[in-house]
Amino acid sequence: MAKKEKNNCIPRHVAIVMDGNGRWAKARFMPRLFGHKKGVESVRKVIKYCSDAGVECLTLFAFSSENWKRPEDEVSGLMSLFMGVLEKETVGMLRHNVRLQFIGDRSAFSAQLQAKIALVEQETAQCSGLKLIVAANYGGRWDILQAVRTMAGQVQCGELKPDELTEAHIGKALSTQELPEPDLFIRTGGEQRISNFLLWQLAYAELFFSEKLWPEFDEKCLQQAFDAYAGRERRFGMTGEQVKA
Ligand code: FPP
């Protein structure tokens, strides 16, 4: 097999499924929430590293549409954790020029959490560095469904004709709107699945699975993922020769 052309660029958009907090805590005979709290330290490390490396967007899967099925104390603990993180970290985000945006159905959150999310989005709206997208009460199928509803409305009111619909219309109607599609998808915790994350947007992402549990994932692990990405040949359906040309 011909040697692969190296793709030395840093990914523009990195999307991460932060898995393994519960198992990390269990191994220490601690409650699952202890693992989520420890996971916030990895979140901080990864944000700083991506920001310094010049990554444009970082999307973190913090809470899936399916996570409501978890024990009540874990769900309420996670909600308090999100609130606490937003309260404590806004100053740091502003200092590092990080813009925060949430994607997902936020209407299911408490009015207090919804207001806090809106406030931090507004406070960091002028930041021009890393775009940090937190997927909370997010599901890839939910995202496609809400996009379809938006487009159906546009068709119904005569703004668009069905045969004028393009992939670009779908892209804009998704919650990620104008963001570039993820180049690199990382999942920690040893599982190898997408779990209803950015289903449409991940079409051409390079996939990287790490055995590390999320609280153990640090700068070195992220660099390993970037190195693996740099060694991949992204063909987007073309032949290797066409890509080189
Ligand atoms: C999955 O591990 C992790 C979560 C469902 C929560 C992750 C959330 C954080 C680290 C807080 C981040 C906060 C912000 C605002 C970005 P798991 O519980 O499924 O682990 P397991 O597979 O070992 O059970």
Side-chain angles (χ1 to χ4, degrees), residues 15-25 32 42 61 70 185-195 208-218 221 224-225:
I16 308 184
V17 174
M18 310 178 286
D19 198 11
N21 293 343
R23 278 167 285 162
W24 184 89
R32 296 175 56 81
S42 299
F61 205 1
R70 292 190 173 205
F185 164 92
I186 300 172
R187 181 177 186 136
T188 61
E191 312 284 0
Q192 304 201 348
R193 47 178 179 258
I194 292 176
S195 296
F208 183 88
F209 298 99
S210 167
E211 289 299 318
K212 293 272 182 195
L213 302 174
W214 179 249
E216 303 164 337
F217 195 81
D218 60 11
C221 305
Q224 277 166 0

Side-chain angles (χ1 to χ4, degrees), residues 14 16 18 39-60 85-86 89-90 92-101 129-134 214 217-219 222 226:
V14 180
I16 308 184
M18 310 178 286
V40 175
E41 287 176 29
S42 299
V43 169
R44 224 179 271 125
K45 288 178 194 166
V46 163
I47 294 172
K48 174 98 185 16
Y49 199 77
C50 284
S51 169
D52 292 345
V55 169
E56 207 176 301
C57 310
L58 170 66
T59 302
L60 300 176
V85 168
L86 292 173
E89 310 288 343
T90 310
M93 283 190 270
L94 289 167
R95 201 173 46 235
H96 288 99
N97 199 21
V98 173
R99 177 175 184 175
L100 182 83
Q101 285 171 275
L130 178 74
K131 286 192 185 89
L132 172 64
I133 296 103
V134 175
W214 179 249
F217 195 81
D218 60 11
E219 296 87 347
L222 186 56
F226 284 5

